[in-house]
Amino acid sequence: MSEFYSEKDVQREVTDLEGKSATAARLFDIRRLIGGLFVVYGVIVTIAGLTASDADIDKAEGVNINLWTGLGMLALGVFFLVWLKLRPVAPPPPGAAAEEKGE
């Protein structure tokens, strides 16, 4: 015995899938990944810079390179996360999928 779906059921299913797709696009936005990684690595490198010995600083000709690099990475990571917060991915307008298929 086969089941028949009405046009309304199919349209509701398509709408649900489009909503899930938009949610996945926002979740895996590349800005979130890049920003998160830069913040994590920036914290690690900044801690390494704060705990650097005099010998480590002398190797870099008197510049605490780990501290400055870590702070730069933190700034870049925060920039990406703020950008994501201020300009989130806009969901596609309703019917955009039908227009792309040429219907």
Side-chain angles (χ1 to χ4, degrees):
M1 188 162 130
S2 68
E3 263 185 64
F4 294 101
Y5 295 102
S6 69
E7 182 67 29
K8 187 176 180 180
D9 292 335
V10 172
Q11 187 62 36
R12 186 177 330 123
E13 187 70 23
V14 167
T15 304
D16 290 343
L17 289 174
E18 285 176 346
K20 290 178 183 177
S21 176
T23 301
R26 283 190 301 274
L27 182 63
F28 293 109
D29 188 352
I30 192 73
R31 295 174 293 179
R32 181 184 315 262
L33 297 173
I34 291 172
L37 284 174
F38 267 98
V39 166
V40 169
Y41 290 137
V43 167
I44 293 169
V45 175
T46 301
I47 291 171
L50 291 173
T51 61
S53 67
D54 290 336
D56 292 335
I57 294 173
D58 289 341
K59 285 181 192 176
E61 298 183 12
V63 177
N64 192 342
I65 194 72
N66 284 336
L67 179 63
W68 289 109
T69 303
L71 291 174
M73 292 172 77
L74 276 171
L76 184 63
V78 168
F79 167 76
F80 271 97
L81 295 176
V82 168
W83 180 22
L84 175 69
K85 186 72 173 171
L86 294 177
R87 300 284 306 239
V89 176
E99 291 174 7
E100 289 176 4
K101 293 178 184 175
E103 294 178 4

